Amino acid sequence: AQSVTQLGSHVSVSEGALVLLRCNYSSSVPPYLFWYVQYPNQGLQLLLKYTTGATLVKGINGFEAEFKKSETSFHLTKPSAHMSDAAEYFCAVSERGNNRLAFGKGNQVVVIP
Amino acid sequence: EPEVTQTPSHQVTQMGQEVILRCVPISNHLYFYWYRQILGQKVEFLVSFYNNEISEKSEIFDDQFSVERPDGSNFTLKIRSTKLEDSAMYFCASRPSRGTTYEQYFGPGTRLTVT
């Protein structure tokens, strides 16, 4: 069964600094990988996804992630943090042909002015 | 932009009572899901629903839980006799037809508090 590990429940970053959120997965078959963001009192919103093809994927709000099969990783980055990036971020994996998403515990990002 | 909606946003109930959580998926979507997140823990898959039947369920989804699509728009999760450990945020999600890349669209959640 697939699973996701996200370390560090709270991540503090200074405004303008690099945002790096780590995600490692396990999957018995080639995975689909996702990053979702949750703003207060809102649902989970898709930031970006990897399915096939180019391993560096770009998403909304300047975020991008790189699929590295050898490292079973899908880390999320943004070069310069904005105050509006304060939210909770979830990495998720879905095995091809499997209906369910498996989520990591999430990272609560705090942006320091 | 179409979105998944859920009602109520917060439900408080007493242990042993039945609750029904309601969801309106995006109108042309065919796959429907329920997930839950207990405070401080991961978002966990409960059940998926397609073509008017359960297509997959997790070990959490026992006989206390049921899902239904009573009409063409609503998708409900019923908990027959709530327990304290059912207190969680419950998320509904939906997905378009086969041939897509498993991207699921989530609602804002219903916070269930069992006292």
Side-chain angles (χ1 to χ4, degrees), chain A residues 4 32 36 49 99-100, chain B residues 33 35 42 56 102-104:
Chain A
V4 172
Y32 292 131
Y36 283 87
K49 62 186 177 187
N99 238 334
R100 67 175 72 185
Chain B
Y33 307 84
Y35 293 81
K42 295 184 179 185
E56 189 180 2
Y102 299 92
E103 175 182 336
Q104 296 178 20

Side-chain angles (χ1 to χ4, degrees), chain B residues 20-37:
Chain B
I20 297 176
L21 309 183
R22 302 181 191 279
C23 169
V24 179
I26 295 173
S27 64
N28 62 345
H29 285 188
L30 298 179
Y31 290 83
F32 313 113
Y33 307 84
W34 284 101
Y35 293 81
R36 78 173 186 190
Q37 186 181 28

Side-chain angles (χ1 to χ4, degrees), chain B residues 76-113:
Chain B
T76 62
L77 174 69
K78 182 192 292 186
I79 309 175
R80 264 179 266 283
S81 177
T82 51
K83 306 170 192 165
L84 294 177
E85 54 265 37
D86 293 328
S87 295
M89 180 72 89
Y90 288 80
F91 293 105
C92 174
S94 67
R95 177 167 75 83
S97 63
R98 285 187 186 278
T100 63
T101 54
Y102 299 92
E103 175 182 336
Q104 296 178 20
Y105 296 78
F106 284 79
T110 292
R111 181 165 298 284
L112 177 65
T113 302

Side-chain angles (χ1 to χ4, degrees), chain A residues 4 32 34 36 38 41-44 46 49 51 88 90 94-101 103-105, chain B residues 31 33 35 37 40-43 45 48 55-59 91 95 101-108:
Chain A
V4 172
Y32 292 131
F34 306 86
Y36 283 87
Q38 186 180 28
N41 301 315
Q42 295 187 27
L44 298 168
L46 184 71
K49 62 186 177 187
T51 54
E88 188 151 22
F90 296 93
S94 174
E95 291 186 340
R96 293 166 194 231
N98 189 323
N99 238 334
R100 67 175 72 185
L101 286 174
F103 284 87
K105 284 193 75 171
Chain B
Y31 290 83
Y33 307 84
Y35 293 81
Q37 186 181 28
Q41 298 186 24
K42 295 184 179 185
V43 176
F45 169 78
S48 60
S55 53
E56 189 180 2
K57 60 183 181 180
S58 73
E59 54 280 1
F91 293 105
R95 177 167 75 83
T101 54
Y102 299 92
E103 175 182 336
Q104 296 178 20
Y105 296 78
F106 284 79

